[in-house]
Amino acid sequence: MNCIIVDDEPVARKGMKSLIEQVPQLELAGSFNNAVAASAFMSEHTVDLIFLDIQMPGITGMEFAQSIPENTLVIFTTAYAEYALDSYEVNAVDYLIKPIELSRFLKAVNKAVAYHKLLVSAEPEKVENIREDYLFIKSERRYFKINFSSILFIEGLKDYSILQLEDQRIITKMNLKNIHEQLPDKLFLRVNKSYIVNTSHIDSFDTNDIYIKTYEIALGGSYKRSFFEEFMPKYQQKE
């Protein structure tokens, strides 16, 4: 994957460059101290992934992320944890807090690599029909039945939705809002701008995050009330 760094701090760019050089799947194509220079570069070169700071003079990272091509992925790199939920607004792949540890960096990169393959390697599958307990996906002239019980969560990525199953991801040409409207609300809850979770797979949660197996999903501020009102009664009944 061709990647670039956009950060106004020289030390941060140097540190990010060092991390990138340790990952064979990444090829550093450029390093920039502002969004304008990065945008000019991207108008002439293909960029698959941007490591993007948020607090920068002029155009902020959040503003820049809203203008990038559909197939370009973003991983935010910032010293400010309070912007994490805002990253869902622009479908960021991940959100890294400086100083960035190699293990956490690799986790974000592996996710970006997997999503990049989904976006470019195959035609997204189409949701054909959603029934009471399952949906049909059309792929290569065949219809595949996917039981709701096998879906851990659904993540929005640009104009697509990614169904995370136990052992695979399926990308569909359907945005998160449309697929959410057709799912049974007795089982699925939207917990932030980018995620719908299957409540039957929730292992634990606190006031800020939901945990499903090895996945940690943030609870968006405007979604917290509905989550606790809708999910907690069900949870208490099971107890």
Side-chain angles (χ1 to χ4, degrees):
M1 295 176 68
N2 291 325
C3 66
I4 62 173
I5 301 165
V6 185
D7 197 312
D8 63 316
E9 299 177 2
V11 173
R13 293 197 301 274
K14 183 177 179 181
M16 185 56 62
K17 181 175 182 290
S18 176
L19 289 170
I20 291 170
E21 289 174 343
Q22 299 180 62
V23 182
Q25 298 101 316
L26 298 179
E27 181 70 30
L28 183 61
S31 182
F32 308 93
N33 64 5
N34 65 82
V36 174
S39 181
F41 177 84
M42 291 175 65
S43 67
E44 298 182 359
H45 302 83
T46 299
V47 174
D48 302 313
L49 176 63
I50 307 173
F51 293 98
L52 181 59
D53 188 22
I54 292 179
Q55 289 279 46
M56 297 186 294
I59 300 173
T60 68
M62 286 291 179
E63 293 169 337
F64 181 48
Q66 294 172 355
S67 67
I68 64 173
E70 186 174 277
N71 284 346
T72 300
L73 303 175
V74 171
I75 294 176
F76 282 116
T77 59
T78 178
Y80 302 94
E82 60 265 30
Y83 293 110
L85 285 172
D86 293 336
S87 69
Y88 291 121
E89 299 282 348
V90 292
N91 300 121
V93 170
D94 212 332
Y95 186 96
L96 301 177
I97 305 295
K98 301 172 183 175
I100 302 168
E101 297 182 356
L102 178 60
S103 60
R104 182 66 182 87
F105 177 77
L106 291 174
K107 182 178 179 180
V109 168
N110 288 337
K111 184 178 179 182
V113 169
Y115 282 14
H116 176 66
K117 289 179 180 178
L118 287 174
L119 286 172
V120 303
S121 64
E123 184 69 23
E125 290 140 346
K126 184 179 179 182
V127 176
E128 284 291 325
N129 202 319
I130 298 179
R131 309 301 291 268
E132 184 177 352
D133 297 312
Y134 56 87
L135 56 82
F136 283 110
I137 294 285
K138 185 178 182 181
S139 177
E140 297 180 354
R141 293 181 290 183
R142 292 178 63 186
Y143 294 89
F144 295 88
K145 179 183 176 182
I146 298 176
N147 293 317
F148 290 153
S149 59
S150 67
I151 301 173
L152 302 182
F153 57 83
I154 303 171
E155 181 179 359
L157 181 66
K158 311 285 185 176
D159 291 327
Y160 305 94
S161 291
I162 298 173
L163 279 61
Q164 179 65 58
L165 309 183
E166 291 276 357
D167 56 358
Q168 70 177 123
R169 291 187 178 108
I170 298 172
I171 187 168
T172 70
K173 183 62 174 177
M174 191 177 198
N175 66 43
L176 201 65
K177 180 178 183 293
N178 289 337
I179 200 169
H180 184 221
E181 289 174 346
Q182 299 183 58
L183 292 171
D185 54 14
K186 65 179 181 181
L187 189 61
F188 291 92
L189 281 177
R190 192 163 182 176
V191 296
N192 62 48
K193 286 284 187 179
S194 295
Y195 281 84
I196 299 166
V197 301
N198 184 334
T199 58
S200 68
H201 285 293
I202 293 176
D203 295 315
S204 62
F205 58 89
D206 53 34
T207 56
N208 297 309
D209 299 288
I210 294 167
Y211 302 89
I212 299 177
K213 298 191 180 299
T214 59
Y215 303 97
E216 179 179 337
I217 301 170
L219 264 174
S222 61
Y223 296 89
K224 283 185 179 182
R225 181 175 179 178
S226 62
F227 172 77
F228 287 107
E229 287 179 350
E230 295 292 328
F231 180 61
M232 281 301 291
K234 301 173 187 176
Y235 182 79
Q236 290 167 350
Q237 287 171 13
K238 291 179 181 179
E239 291 297 308

